[in-house]
Amino acid sequence: MAYLRLLYRMPLLLLHIFVGTSLTVLCQYRPLRHLRIGGRALAGRSAEWWGRNMCRIFGLRLRVSGTVPPGPQLVVANHISWIDIPLLFSVAPLSFVSKAEIERWPVIGFIARAGNTVFHQRGSHDSA
């Protein structure tokens, strides 16, 4: 049964990575970023769409209690794995704080920069 799940999830994952991620990153750039659809910015909607689809592909069922209030907020989450990022993206448009090394990673670094990630050099008080 697990093999069958892998057979149908792998093409969905590849499609989402190549097409969905490209569209989401494109929506983060200036001309499209502040375009409003249904009262919300396209950048936030596309990030939420990307996160929800990633969770669906991996078979995660999302249950949300409450809402994230509008305006600047600080959300602190106990980081367990990489899947936390799409899961948090699926709830609200967020920016993340990441270790500085990720900025230099080929694809992930580009996506992180497009998502307004703040990069922190561990052990450096200047980057805080």
Side-chain angles (χ1 to χ4, degrees):
M1 190 65 157
Y3 181 70
L4 290 176
R5 266 184 272 170
L6 181 65
L7 278 178
Y8 91 86
R9 285 184 180 169
M10 191 55 73
L12 289 175
L13 178 62
L14 291 172
L15 181 68
H16 188 61
I17 286 173
F18 290 113
V19 177
T21 301
S22 300
L23 290 173
T24 302
V25 168
L26 182 67
C27 291
Q28 304 302 314
Y29 286 107
R30 212 166 250 150
L32 299 174
R33 179 177 198 86
H34 299 293
L35 185 70
R36 302 200 69 77
I37 296 175
R40 290 186 47 215
L42 181 60
R45 281 197 179 270
S46 65
E48 182 179 318
W49 171 84
W50 182 87
R52 285 186 189 264
N53 280 331
M54 187 66 85
C55 290
R56 270 190 211 109
I57 290 168
F58 281 98
L60 299 176
R61 292 191 182 136
L62 183 63
R63 189 178 73 204
V64 179
S65 292
T67 60
V68 177
Q73 303 291 324
L74 177 63
V75 178
V76 179
N78 187 10
H79 185 48
I80 296 171
S81 75
W82 67 271
I83 200 73
D84 296 348
I85 294 167
L87 193 112
L88 289 169
F89 260 141
S90 70
V91 176
L94 302 169
S95 293
F96 293 92
V97 176
S98 173
K99 62 183 180 178
E101 294 84 29
I102 291 177
E103 187 175 21
R104 293 185 296 275
W105 291 3
V107 175
I108 303 298
F110 174 76
I111 294 169
R113 283 189 301 279
N116 296 321
T117 298
V118 176
F119 297 101
H120 173 65
Q121 182 65 44
R122 291 182 177 178
S124 170
H125 296 291
D126 293 337
S127 76

